[in-house]
Amino acid sequence: MTNAAIQISSVNKRFGRTHAVRDLDLVVPTGSVCGFLGPNGAGKSTTIRMIMSIIYPDDGQIEVLGSSALANKDKIGYLPEERGVYRKMKVGSFLEYIGTLKGVEKSTLRTRIADWLERIELPHVAKQRCEELSKGMQQKVQFLAAIIHDPDLVILDEPFSGLDPVNAQLLNTLIREMHESGKTIIFSTHVLHQAEQICDRFFLINHGVKLLDATLDEIHTTFDPRTIVVEPVNGAAHFDQIPGVRSVRSSESDPRLELEIADDADPHAIMRSVMDGGPVKSIARRQLSMDEVFIRLVREGGGEEAADQAREDLSHV
């Protein structure tokens, strides 16, 4: 497939009695930001390690940038879940060493490092030893080491883990900028709502089994809760009298009302009827969060007990 940055076909991986990845088929389109989502232990990191040729599948095939990760190592940037820098090295020397290994021309490397240190808001640390930095600062330096060679494919395994909200937002911005420049990005996380802010495609996995592989628009279409959320100006209104509205739900702690609409009703027509009936502060179609999508898929495959376990898994963030 010429438009695939990564193509995985019928891949399995076992560790003893644990079947970590089961019959996995997956295509990551070139230029996409693909979220690898699922709770801890779902099989995300195992899949990424196989993509990177750190470990190999028991059977099946993995193609990365037309061949393998080893053959394209200088075109790939990888931030592993296990963090680590050369603690005794100075930050600038560490990044120069990594950049040289990745084939960056020495004539431009120091300027590139200085520019990137400025962008990650660490402009004065080049002469400090890595061990002198805080854990969050070390993590930003390791992110920089992963992308200093301007790779075509960037793989980030739990990149926000341990970052404070300000630095998480900075990293979010940098990921968006890389995407806009044409990079293909894989972003693995067990915090599903983080991926919703960044990704345009989602791969959802649980116990080694793929549950979902779709774009955000496809997910919204498939998992449409058929609900309109309205906050009226004058409190309660007779929205239940609008044709196509099945029920109206309210909460004492939330001024908004949820209008459940019939399967054959036109949501846009109902929204127009709501606004024609009087002023509203806000009105929108409700969309399921990725957490809700995940739990629904688990319930469909394994019942209510499995869904309860999925909620428990997702709560450990």
Side-chain angles (χ1 to χ4, degrees):
M1 182 174 292
T2 57
N3 196 38
I6 297 171
Q7 185 159 0
I8 299 174
S9 305
S10 303
V11 161
N12 285 273
K13 184 62 182 178
R14 300 171 182 84
F15 299 99
R17 295 182 178 180
T18 302
H19 201 157
V21 175
R22 296 173 178 264
D23 302 319
L24 178 60
D25 294 305
L26 180 67
V27 173
V28 178
T30 298
S32 65
V33 182
C34 183
F36 274 30
L37 312 182
N40 288 325
K44 304 184 302 298
S45 291
T46 297
T47 301
I48 286 175
R49 292 184 184 115
M50 288 191 290
I51 290 171
M52 290 299 300
S53 297
I54 296 171
I55 58 176
Y56 292 92
D58 298 329
D59 49 70
Q61 294 182 331
I62 298 177
E63 189 175 281
V64 181
L65 299 178
S67 54
S68 71
L70 292 177
N72 291 288
K73 57 184 178 61
D74 291 345
K75 298 179 181 179
I76 302 171
Y78 175 44
L79 178 67
E81 184 179 15
E82 300 83 6
R83 305 295 187 240
V85 293
Y86 294 150
R87 299 178 58 81
K88 297 297 182 182
M89 290 184 72
K90 293 182 179 179
V91 172
S93 299
F94 168 67
L95 293 172
E96 284 183 33
Y97 173 67
I98 297 297
T100 301
L101 287 179
K102 290 291 188 177
V104 182
E105 292 289 337
K106 290 186 177 181
S107 60
T108 62
L109 184 53
R110 289 192 176 183
T111 300
R112 185 181 297 188
I113 290 171
D115 290 345
W116 267 107
L117 285 173
E118 187 79 35
R119 292 180 69 185
I120 64 172
E121 300 179 356
L122 295 177
H124 307 300
V125 304
K127 294 184 178 181
Q128 291 183 244
R129 295 186 187 278
C130 291
E131 66 181 359
E132 296 172 350
L133 306 182
S134 68
K135 182 176 289 188
M137 293 166 72
Q138 287 183 24
Q139 186 165 331
K140 291 200 291 183
V141 169
Q142 191 176 2
F143 168 78
L144 179 48
I147 54 89
I148 193 64
H149 56 299
D150 193 28
D152 297 327
L153 171 63
V154 180
I155 300 177
L156 308 172
D157 197 350
E158 298 286 357
F160 296 126
S161 178
L163 288 181
D164 61 66
V166 173
N167 281 318
Q169 183 57 47
L170 172 63
L171 191 57
N172 186 320
T173 300
L174 294 176
I175 292 172
R176 289 177 183 273
E177 290 176 358
M178 288 191 296
H179 177 221
E180 290 170 359
S181 71
K183 310 298 184 189
T184 303
I185 300 170
I186 290 177
F187 166 54
S188 172
T189 183
H190 65 287
V191 185
L192 274 56
H193 67 80
Q194 288 180 334
E196 291 183 76
Q197 303 171 17
I198 300 175
C199 302
D200 53 31
R201 188 171 194 90
F202 298 87
F203 160 58
L204 199 54
I205 188 172
N206 191 44
H207 299 304
V209 177
K210 181 175 74 174
L211 300 180
L212 179 70
D213 177 14
T215 66
L216 187 59
D217 287 343
E218 289 169 344
I219 292 170
H220 287 162
T221 299
T222 303
F223 299 94
D224 184 353
R226 305 294 294 171
T227 302
I228 294 171
V229 181
V230 184
E231 184 177 357
V233 170
N234 300 317
H238 298 293
F239 296 138
D240 55 347
Q241 298 179 5
I242 296 175
V245 175
R246 284 178 171 170
S247 65
V248 179
R249 295 188 295 270
S250 62
S251 169
E252 293 183 0
S253 60
D254 191 338
R256 298 173 300 174
L257 304 174
E258 290 194 350
L259 281 57
E260 181 186 358
I261 65 176
D263 292 340
D264 59 351
D266 180 355
H268 299 290
I270 292 176
M271 292 170 75
R272 285 194 295 270
S273 296
V274 167
M275 291 185 289
D276 288 344
V280 298
K281 293 182 180 178
S282 65
I283 183 170
R285 296 183 65 175
R286 183 172 180 268
Q287 295 173 340
L288 295 186
S289 69
M290 289 306 301
D291 290 61
E292 291 172 309
V293 170
F294 175 74
I295 291 169
R296 178 179 289 190
L297 287 168
V298 171
R299 181 187 292 112
E300 291 174 358
E304 197 58 45
E305 184 175 343
D308 290 341
Q309 182 60 54
R311 291 190 190 91
E312 178 71 15
D313 292 341
L314 291 174
S315 68
H316 293 157
V317 299

